[in-house]
Amino acid sequence: MPIIVNLDVMMAKRKMSLNELSEKVDLTLSNLSILKTGKAKAIRFSTLEAICKALECQPGDILEFREKDQ
């Protein structure tokens, strides 16, 4: 998939654990883990907003578009 999820990068920059982020955004660890590993097929804007607030970042810091190799 050409959308890359850089959630782990932002969490590392903010020194925030998955457990801590899970509590702040009110998501289960399993759902957050699915997002973090790039296995999620979609994300709600409300979830993205909560993550951005918790990590003090922009959506573009978490989501990235990359063309597939030709």
Side-chain angles (χ1 to χ4, degrees), residues 3-64:
I3 301 294
I4 309 300
V5 180
N6 294 315
L7 185 57
D8 53 344
V9 174
M10 286 308 301
M11 289 171 55
K13 285 182 179 179
R14 301 296 188 252
K15 295 182 172 85
M16 190 176 296
S17 70
L18 198 62
N19 285 329
E20 188 178 351
L21 183 59
S22 172
E23 290 175 10
K24 287 185 178 222
V25 299
D26 196 30
L27 274 179
T28 64
L29 279 173
S30 59
N31 283 338
L32 202 51
S33 181
I34 288 169
L35 182 61
K36 182 180 159 200
T37 57
K39 294 179 182 175
K41 299 292 181 195
I43 183 171
R44 292 181 182 187
F45 282 142
S46 57
T47 301
L48 184 58
E49 179 183 355
I51 291 171
C52 288
K53 281 183 181 180
L55 293 174
E56 298 178 1
C57 67
Q58 295 294 313
D61 296 328
I62 297 170
L63 302 175
E64 177 184 347

